[in-house]
Amino acid sequence: MTRLGSLLRGLAASATALLAVAATAPAAHSSTEPQAPQEFVALRTVAPTIIQEMRYITPHDFMGEPVDGYQQPLCIVTRPTALALARAQRTLLREGYSLKVYDCYRPQRAVDHFVRWAKDLQDEKMKAEFYPRVDKSQLFADGYIAEKSGHSRGSTLDLTIVKLPALPTAPYRPGQKLVPCYGPKDERFPDNSVDMGTGFDCFDTLAHTDDPRIQGVQRENRQFLKKTMADVGFTNLPEEWWHFTYSPETFPDTYFDFPIAWRSVAGH
């Protein structure tokens, strides 16, 4: 068996395990919940080898709690976006890497949750990791939080690159000591991705893709990700090295609010 074949078999096995977890995860829901349009798919059904580490269903995010609307650890995107991601993944696998997604489609109720949290200036329990140098009162003015997000349109996602074979990411334990997201890789929260100079969702100018302070291997890794995604039709948000939007967007002007759950895309 070729090395690529072994990598694919390993990733497929991991995907099967993640599907089993997602399928059995409890999720309270209403029968009146909106469904995703037919143009949306679960990424797993199109590109099963892409690693999924969906952060917002866990307490390891800048709020320190699971986000509204994330009912299962699932990446949902529009079908053209998923197909483009699959093309990027094939390229990376040949070079011994894999994509890893942190967040994909994001319901409007999740964005509303972010906004409520940002307005509560007393809640800073995750500040030491995610925004140690930013005053919380400035999150709107500095563009870190907004009342609308391109994620809600289905063609935007947050992702990184992992060197294969992928090592497991250590679980976050609520209450553990927090380390600045821009610290050295061996000091900040452990992540099995290549070193991008900051962690995901780092509210700091060091997260700007082309920040001149990011040099060496970290800069090379950012440019590697940016080029890989650009080659299949994605545009990077300059303020966030992890943030990409596929063009043309299937829904350029529509912000959806269906929950992130398998039933939302059932039968697609």
Side-chain angles (χ1 to χ4, degrees):
M1 181 181 298
T2 66
R3 181 170 179 271
L4 178 57
S6 298
L7 291 174
L8 287 171
R9 284 172 62 89
L11 285 169
S14 299
T16 300
L18 285 169
L19 278 171
V21 171
T24 58
H29 64 277
S30 165
S31 60
T32 60
E33 291 270 33
Q35 289 285 111
Q38 289 292 322
E39 291 87 349
F40 281 84
V41 296
L43 178 63
R44 189 73 67 199
T45 64
V46 176
T49 62
I50 293 178
I51 299 168
Q52 298 191 21
E53 187 180 309
M54 311 308 293
R55 286 287 183 88
Y56 293 151
I57 197 171
T58 79
H60 187 228
D61 58 47
F62 55 83
M63 298 193 304
E65 62 189 32
V67 181
D68 290 356
Y70 288 79
Q71 297 178 356
Q72 291 175 312
L74 184 65
C75 173
I76 297 175
V77 288
T78 58
R79 184 175 296 277
T81 303
L83 292 171
L85 289 169
R87 293 195 296 274
Q89 178 73 344
R90 287 194 292 270
T91 297
L92 287 173
L93 287 174
R94 288 194 292 268
E95 300 186 43
Y97 295 91
S98 172
L99 289 174
K100 180 174 79 170
V101 293
Y102 294 114
D103 191 39
C104 302
Y105 156 75
R106 181 184 304 164
Q108 181 60 45
R109 70 190 75 178
V111 180
D112 295 342
H113 192 178
F114 291 170
V115 170
R116 291 195 305 275
W117 166 82
K119 291 179 178 179
D120 180 3
L121 301 183
Q122 303 306 309
D123 183 353
E124 295 189 324
K125 59 179 172 287
M126 300 300 284
K127 178 179 175 62
E129 178 176 351
F130 290 96
Y131 54 106
R133 295 191 289 209
V134 178
D135 190 298
K136 191 176 181 182
S137 66
Q138 294 298 115
L139 291 181
F140 289 103
D142 290 350
Y144 294 113
I145 301 292
E147 295 186 354
K148 292 291 184 181
S149 169
H151 282 268
S152 302
R153 302 195 296 262
S155 297
T156 293
L157 69 163
D158 300 327
L159 78 173
T160 189
I161 291 175
V162 175
K163 179 69 175 176
L164 296 174
L167 300 174
T169 294
Y172 167 75
R173 301 182 309 280
Q176 72 183 59
K177 181 181 178 181
L178 301 178
V179 178
C181 53
Y182 48 74
K185 184 173 173 60
D186 60 355
E187 295 179 11
R188 63 181 184 258
F189 181 80
D191 191 301
N192 61 0
S193 65
V194 301
D195 187 3
M196 296 290 187
T198 77
F200 164 62
D201 258 358
C202 189
F203 294 1
D204 196 274
T205 54
L206 278 173
H208 292 189
T209 307
D210 295 318
D211 188 286
R213 293 168 292 176
I214 300 297
Q215 295 294 325
V217 173
Q218 296 172 339
R219 188 173 189 84
E220 291 174 5
N221 288 337
R222 291 188 183 190
Q223 295 306 313
F224 180 33
L225 174 60
K226 184 177 178 180
K227 182 180 186 306
T228 298
M229 299 301 289
D231 286 348
V232 295
F234 287 87
T235 300
N236 172 243
L237 179 68
E239 290 78 20
E240 299 177 350
W241 60 256
W242 56 82
H243 180 116
F244 291 86
T245 298
Y246 180 72
S247 183
E249 291 190 65
T250 306
F251 297 102
D253 303 307
T254 307
Y255 297 82
F256 294 95
D257 193 37
F258 58 85
I260 298 174
W262 279 103
R263 67 181 180 280
S264 295
V265 291
H268 290 201

